[in-house]
Structures are given as C-alpha cells and as structure tokens.
Amino acid sequence: QVRMSNTQDQPKAMASMMPDFTSSIAVLAFEDISPNKDQEWLSDGISIQILDHLSKYRDLKIISHRSSFVYKGKDISIDIIGEELGVAYVLDGSIQKAGDTFRTTVQLIDTRDGTQIWSNTYDRKMEDALEVQDEIAQVVADRLNLTLTYEDVRLRKVDPEAFELYLRALREFDHIRPDHMIVADSLIREALDIDSQYAPAWSLLSGTVFQRSFYFEQIPLNEGIIIGLQAAQRAVELDSAYPVAINWLSNWQWHNRVVNASLKTLEELLEKLPNSAGPHAYAGHAFTRMGMPKRALKHAYFSRELNPEAGDAMLNIAFGEYYQENYKNSIPAFEAFLAYRQEISGDLNGAGADILAHIYYKSGDIEKAWKTLEKEPSRYWRLVTQILIQNSEGNTEEADRLLEELKAYPVKEIEEVLWTDRNFELGHIYAAKGDKDTAFYYLDKAYDYLLVFTEYLWTYPEFKSLHDDPRWQELLDRLGEEFNFDYHTEE
C-alpha cells in the first residue's frame, strides 16, 4: 500500500482541528462465506452501511472503507491493522445468504490487546437487513459509550429487491470507471422505481449522475445538475442526518451556482461530523474553488489523517502544497495519488505524469522532471509541461516552437478525449511567462471552462503573477456574479 509520510510536514494550522479521540474504529470488509462465493456485493454493502451509520456519532473516528477494505483477503493480524489505520477497535464479520434470508456474524475487537469485546450472529430475512445494520451499529456505539449529538433517523424497512439493487449499484459505483458507472446508474434507478423512500438510493443516484455528467460526459452537464440536485435534496428530505447525501447536496448547490447555500450546507456538515474523513476531503476541494487554498489544505490534511488511503485528500494535498510552492510536500502526495489511481483504475499508463514532472522541475530536480515527463502518454499534456519548463530554462525559441504545435492541436481531441480547454492552458503558460495581457486574453476565452473548474485558479502557482493586476479582481468579480459569492484572493 502507498502511504504518505506522517504528520511532521503538515501545516501547523491543522493541529487545532485534531481531536483527542476517545474512540476510533475501522469496519473491515465482511467475508462472503456463501457456498458459491458470489455474494460479495452483499458482504461489502452491509459493511459500508454499518460504517455509514456509525459516522453519525460525532466523537467517533471513522476510517473510510477505501482504507479498511485493502485488508480484504489478507492474512494480517488485528494489532497490525489497528496500528496501520490508527484505530483502537475493529469491527469484523461475515455474511451468508440463502434465498430471502441471510446470516450475519459480527465481532468487535480491541486492536490494542486482541480482546473480543462483543460478538453476535443474526439470522434475518433480507427485508430486515436495515434493522440488522442499525442494531449492530447501536450495539457498537453502546459498547464504546457513544451518544448521538443530533437527532438520528431510524432506518426504515426497504423493499428487499430494491435493497439488493442498491448494494449492487454501490459496488459498481466504487470502481469509478465509465462502464461501471453506467451499470451503477441503471441499477440505482431500477431500485428507486421499486422503492422511492430509501435515502441512500437517492444519494447514490446523485453520485452516479455526477460522475456521468462531469467526468465521463455520458449525460449533458445542465441535465446532470438538475437531476443530481433533485436527487440529493430528496435524500436529505428522507434522512436529514445522512452525511453522504448532505455532502452531495453542497456539491450540487455549488454547480447550481448558489455558493452561499453550498457553503452553509458544508459548514453544517462539518459541524455535525467533525471527525469524518469524507466531509473534510470534500472541504479540501470546495474551499479551493472558493478561493481559500490555505483553508482547503488544512481540511485536506485532516481528511488524510482520518483516512490514510483517501485519494481525494492526497490530490488536494498535492495541489494545495503545489500552489503554496511547498514542493517537498507536494511531490510525495502526488506520487501517492497517482499510485492510488493506478490501483483503483488499473489502466492509467502514466496519466498525470506531466503534472508530477512539472512539480519535480519546480523543486529543482530537472533530470527527474524530464524522465517523468517521458511516461506521460498524452502528447498534448507533454507539450504543456515541455513549454512551461523550456520557458523557465530560458529556451524561448524551443518553447515558442512547441507553443505553435500546441495551438494547432486538434480541438476535437482536446474537448472530447482530454476533457479540457486549450485556452485555459494557454492562459496558464502566458501567466508563467509573465505576459499578463495575453494571459488575461486567454483566460477570458476560457471563462465558460472556469465556471466549471474554478478551482484551477488556486491550483497552479503561476497564476499568482496576475494577482497584482486589476484584471485579476475583475475576473473574480465576474465569477462572483455568476456564483452569487464574494471572491477574494487568499494570500
């Protein structure tokens, strides 16, 4: 497993966020012990559902399933798992399904001495699956002396067929790949056709629509915003304490250009769940696009502390430190993120090496920068980084030659394959060259792109050269009018 270095290089500002945890837990992936070993969708799903319920306890440190599930099928002792994840307790178990019934065996273990604190076996019908999850989470909370700090919503019964479809969709969604996302979206819509009163299903629909509209371009963006926002709102109406749905609601409010509402929703979520990795990872992204990179970085580090394997946190740390020009911290974070993405997706073939190469160059390791750039599979992204480096090296003739090649690059491939905007990259390049007039010319042409990816203005340190120009504030004011938000430059 790829892990980032410990907290010694993390911002001091993060220290004020670190709680003194009295309880901490990881929910391991329950084992599928069905005869044909074909019920992993159920064993994984039950584990995640219990974890989601436990996340409603304010004083409990929860490790994301993306971190705890890496131990699936591995012969690793509980004490080592506890040490690596930084938790005092582990919840482990198994699932066996037969027809419309299932058996869940579960145990709560103290990782510090291996003591089994509690164990039980539940034989129930599938229609009672939610009650079992609720019961297990409540027993764990009682054993750890936890209490809810805000009103909880008891899980209602859900149609068993709809619940099975939901768990299968959740499993597909976790792959975060275009083909799997289409399947997940189809399954969750089918589940909602059967039972439209289950909050997690609406929340998951919000997630599949986001991936399909923003990243995989399978749904028009304007259509995705309408569907995704409505799905998140419906999930919160059904369960006002469901953290994933609240998270999606804040994100969709942003993309619907009501940033003050988005910020309010985010701050309410952070107040309710101060020790949950997901909200802090999202905050690391959200505060960046709101023009608050230092605040964003603080949340990103805290999210990584709560969830060592959090890909979002790794990326937010990498870019946050890059923007602050702390390259010694940015490099290991970005290396860890690329390794994480490779593990999750399995087919990146070096994608992202262009950014890492530029960070290496900025850190002074020129030889490693060029070697890393050779691994980037996209000629377009290699060009962007080559131009930035050649300009920095004073090789203006070569940089200009490459720049002309970039300007002639096929627009269709840039927009449909690379999902980017050449005008933005040109604005970035000219900002790095110190040509403010041309930089602002291209940023103006990239305005529609910036409305979707506003965070990039606070990702690349080269844009700092524009901050003392009145046109920078004019750009922020123009964006602020679109988003109904008062942008400022956080130095």
Side-chain angles (χ1 to χ4, degrees), residues 158-167 190-192 194-195 198:
V158 61
D159 182 278
E161 184 181 356
F163 184 60
E164 178 175 333
L165 288 165
Y166 164 76
L167 293 182
E190 188 177 349
L192 286 167
I194 297 171
D195 189 337
Y198 186 44

Side-chain angles (χ1 to χ4, degrees), residues 86-119:
V87 294
Y89 303 96
V90 158
L91 188 70
D92 196 10
S94 62
I95 296 285
Q96 184 174 10
K97 182 176 181 291
D100 64 348
T101 65
F102 72 101
R103 167 173 289 184
T104 304
T105 299
V106 63
Q107 59 178 340
L108 179 65
I109 303 170
D110 189 320
T111 64
R112 294 160 291 189
D113 57 14
T115 303
Q116 185 185 79
I117 299 173
W118 165 78
S119 67

Side-chain angles (χ1 to χ4, degrees), residues 10-252:
Q10 297 177 6
K12 293 181 180 179
M14 192 194 81
S16 62
M17 299 181 63
M18 295 301 296
D20 180 17
F21 290 116
T22 57
S23 299
S24 51
I25 193 169
V27 180
L28 302 183
F30 283 17
E31 182 182 1
D32 171 22
I33 59 172
S34 57
N36 296 325
K37 300 290 184 182
D38 58 352
Q39 304 297 316
E40 194 173 40
W41 58 270
L42 178 61
S43 56
D44 282 358
I46 294 290
S47 308
I48 295 172
Q49 293 286 289
I50 294 172
L51 186 149
D52 281 349
H53 190 86
L54 286 171
S55 70
K56 296 178 180 180
Y57 292 85
R58 181 184 180 91
D59 296 323
L60 181 63
K61 173 186 174 183
I62 296 284
I63 297 297
S64 164
H65 76 278
R66 289 195 182 279
S67 290
S68 58
F69 277 27
V70 300
Y71 299 99
K72 183 192 293 189
K74 297 178 181 178
D75 186 18
I76 301 177
S77 64
I78 291 295
D79 62 323
I80 292 177
I81 292 176
E83 181 180 353
E84 291 189 351
L85 294 180
V87 294
Y89 303 96
V90 158
L91 188 70
D92 196 10
S94 62
I95 296 285
Q96 184 174 10
K97 182 176 181 291
D100 64 348
T101 65
F102 72 101
R103 167 173 289 184
T104 304
T105 299
V106 63
Q107 59 178 340
L108 179 65
I109 303 170
D110 189 320
T111 64
R112 294 160 291 189
D113 57 14
T115 303
Q116 185 185 79
I117 299 173
W118 165 78
S119 67
N120 201 2
T121 298
Y122 300 83
D123 290 300
R124 301 288 175 86
K125 290 185 176 295
M126 280 297 295
E127 65 185 34
D128 298 319
L130 297 185
E131 290 183 4
V132 172
Q133 297 162 197
D134 187 51
E135 252 183 77
I136 292 171
Q138 188 61 56
V139 171
V140 171
D142 290 343
R143 294 281 177 164
L144 301 185
N145 296 316
L146 302 172
T147 56
L148 286 167
T149 54
Y150 61 98
E151 184 179 356
D152 188 23
V153 177
R154 298 291 294 182
L155 294 173
R156 58 174 291 280
K157 282 194 174 184
V158 61
D159 182 278
E161 184 181 356
F163 184 60
E164 178 175 333
L165 288 165
Y166 164 76
L167 293 182
R168 292 184 182 277
L170 185 64
R171 182 172 175 79
E172 294 293 331
F173 179 81
D174 255 6
H175 288 285
I176 313 185
R177 294 180 60 176
D179 50 344
H180 287 274
M181 206 56 60
I182 292 174
V183 175
D185 190 73
S186 176
L187 289 170
I188 204 60
R189 289 173 190 265
E190 188 177 349
L192 286 167
D193 284 341
I194 297 171
D195 189 337
S196 63
Q197 301 300 306
Y198 186 44
W202 284 107
S203 179
L204 185 55
L205 175 63
S206 182
T208 60
V209 170
F210 183 82
Q211 296 290 339
R212 295 191 67 201
S213 58
F214 275 86
Y215 293 122
F216 303 137
E217 298 187 333
Q218 297 166 345
I219 298 176
L221 188 56
N222 57 346
E223 180 182 331
I225 291 173
I226 294 171
I227 298 172
L229 178 61
Q230 290 176 345
Q233 288 172 331
R234 183 61 179 142
V236 173
E237 287 171 5
L238 291 168
D239 185 350
S240 61
Y242 189 53
V244 182
I246 301 171
N247 210 140
W248 280 121
L249 177 60
S250 175
N251 198 23
W252 284 115

